[in-house]
């Protein structure tokens, strides 16, 4: 462990004050002396014992890596609450995952826009704050403050009646164990960015991705290929949704196609140039 112990001292003091605890109270909760806690908070303990690191990690429900390497005082309120909820690891529990984001001048999370032309770059830059700072950003009133939002432009007709080119706003899901099929924007290493109906298959640790348009076949993506999931919240489009065809209308269309094919085979139907 390095001599500076990274952000350990500042993070410990930050989290204690965040919970409105005195040093005496926190020391008692952790089962250590006030003198030892004071030494940790003031950087006098250059190499914290692993036992103390684990005590604090369990108490604050954060990984040791987060307590050491992430400057918590610089994170937005939303990200800190996400960490406090125990959501600072990937589904596998093997890697720290701090959501990169951008904030406004008032330190509120922006809604970043990922247009179609930015999809390729997003797959490689979604975790890079510098890359995210190049995306267009905006804010919408009356959105709940306890969620992180991002907007993605859709491509194709797989989710009709949501039209090609529509803009989908999703809220970030740090916990991927979906209990029911949910519309989501999914970022994967193999498929890039997809907007699909998503369900989690716990036993196989896979996700099933299904289109609303029935001409597309559902497919499986292993959990380890998932990079981000954004739960559908709203969408915007300049196209009015089309009414779905009834079974009767579909039958009429098929009959008409068959009639024209029969006429063409008999040579009784002229084909327009």
């Amino acid at each position: 462990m390095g001599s500076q112990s990274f952000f350990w001292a500042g993070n410990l003091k930050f989290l204690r004050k965040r919970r409105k605890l005195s040093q005496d109270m926190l020391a008692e909760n952790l089962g250590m002396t006030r003198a030892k806690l004071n030494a940790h908070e003031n950087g006098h303990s250059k190499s914290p014992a692993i036992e103390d690191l684990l005590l604090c990690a369990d108490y604050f429900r954060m990984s040791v890596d987060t307590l050491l390497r992430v400057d918590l005082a610089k994170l937005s309120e939303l990200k800190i609450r996400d960490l406090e909820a125990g959501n600072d690891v990937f589904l596998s529990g093997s890697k720290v995952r701090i959501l990169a984001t951008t904030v406004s001048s008032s330190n509120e999370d922006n809604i970043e826009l990922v247009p179609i032309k930015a999809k390729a770059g997003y797959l490689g830059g979604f975790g890079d704050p510098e890359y995210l700072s190049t995306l267009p950003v905006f804010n919408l009133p009356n959105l709940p403050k306890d969620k992180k939002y991002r907007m993605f432009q859709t491509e194709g007709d797989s989710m009709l009646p949501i039209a090609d080119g529509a803009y989908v706003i999703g809220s970030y899901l740090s916990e991927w164990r979906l209990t029911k099929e949910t519309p989501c924007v999914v970022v994967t290493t193999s498929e890039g960015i997809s907007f699909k109906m998503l369900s989690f298959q716990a036993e196989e640790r896979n996700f099933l991705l299904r289109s609303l348009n029935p001409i597309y076949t559902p497919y499986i993506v292993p959990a380890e290929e998932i990079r981000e999931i954004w739960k559908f919240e709203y969408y915007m489009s300049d196209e009015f949704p089309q009414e779905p065809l009834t079974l009767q209308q579909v039958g009429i269309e098929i009959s008409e196609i068959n009639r024209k094919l029969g006429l063409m085979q008999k040579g009784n139907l002229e084909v327009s140039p």
Side-chain angles (χ1 to χ4, degrees):
M1 191 173 300
S3 60
Q4 299 302 315
S5 296
F6 304 101
F7 298 104
W8 165 249
N11 283 344
L12 194 54
K13 183 181 294 185
F14 174 83
L15 290 171
R16 175 177 64 78
K17 291 184 175 181
R18 181 174 172 81
R19 294 201 180 190
K20 297 180 171 57
L21 297 172
S22 66
Q23 282 191 338
D24 285 324
M25 294 167 65
L26 180 56
E28 182 179 353
N29 292 342
L30 293 174
M32 68 173 61
T33 65
R34 181 183 180 281
K36 177 183 277 191
L37 177 61
N38 184 66
H40 284 316
E41 286 193 359
N42 288 285
H44 298 151
S45 178
K46 297 299 183 182
S47 298
I50 188 63
E51 292 82 2
D52 294 341
L53 290 172
L54 293 174
L55 272 175
C56 293
D58 289 342
Y59 182 80
F60 292 112
R61 299 185 66 193
M62 295 185 186
S63 69
V64 170
D65 208 9
T66 296
L67 292 176
L68 290 175
R69 297 177 182 273
V70 179
D71 187 354
L72 298 177
K74 292 185 178 180
L75 299 183
S76 68
E77 176 65 19
L78 177 66
K79 286 193 286 185
I80 293 172
R81 278 195 300 239
D82 194 38
L83 289 171
E84 288 175 328
N87 296 327
D88 73 340
V89 294
F90 280 117
L91 183 64
S92 63
S94 62
K95 186 174 182 180
V96 172
R97 174 71 170 102
I98 305 298
L99 177 67
T101 186
T102 61
V103 296
S104 66
S105 57
S106 58
N107 203 38
E108 293 186 356
D109 283 290
N110 293 316
I111 300 176
E112 299 89 6
L113 167 61
V114 184
I116 291 173
K117 64 181 180 180
K119 279 188 171 184
Y122 185 84
L123 185 59
F126 67 87
D128 182 1
E130 290 189 10
Y131 168 77
L132 292 180
S133 68
T134 67
L135 297 174
V137 298
F138 64 99
N139 288 279
L140 290 176
N142 302 323
L143 289 179
K145 299 296 184 181
D146 60 343
K147 297 179 180 180
K148 166 61 188 177
Y149 301 94
R150 192 158 289 164
M151 177 183 278
F152 299 85
Q153 188 177 16
T154 64
E155 187 174 15
D157 61 354
S158 67
M159 289 296 278
L160 289 175
I162 298 180
D164 176 28
Y167 293 90
V168 171
I169 298 177
S171 59
Y172 179 67
L173 284 186
S174 54
E175 172 54 64
W176 296 353
R177 299 180 188 276
L178 301 171
T179 57
K180 62 180 181 179
E181 189 178 49
T182 306
C184 296
V185 173
V186 188
V187 182
T188 68
T189 54
S190 57
E191 300 290 330
I193 301 175
S194 305
F195 179 41
K196 294 287 185 284
M197 300 299 296
L198 187 67
S199 54
F200 180 54
Q201 300 176 326
E203 292 185 3
E204 296 83 8
R205 293 181 62 80
N206 290 330
F207 287 89
L208 177 67
L209 280 67
R210 182 179 68 85
S211 301
L212 289 180
N213 190 335
I215 69 170
Y216 293 94
T217 303
Y219 58 94
I220 296 291
V221 173
E224 58 266 22
E225 291 191 12
I226 303 290
R227 291 297 171 262
E228 287 184 340
I229 298 177
W230 298 82
K231 178 179 174 293
F232 172 85
E233 297 285 350
Y234 314 94
Y235 84 94
M236 296 186 293
S237 175
D238 59 2
E239 292 190 28
F240 191 79
Q242 296 181 358
E243 274 191 58
L245 293 175
T246 65
L247 289 176
Q248 182 180 7
Q249 288 172 321
V250 171
I252 293 173
E253 292 287 342
I254 292 175
S255 296
E256 180 63 14
I257 291 172
N258 288 335
R259 185 187 69 83
K260 289 183 177 180
L261 286 174
L263 290 174
M264 290 177 64
Q265 290 173 353
K266 294 178 180 180
N268 295 329
L269 181 66
E270 294 184 0
V271 179
S272 300

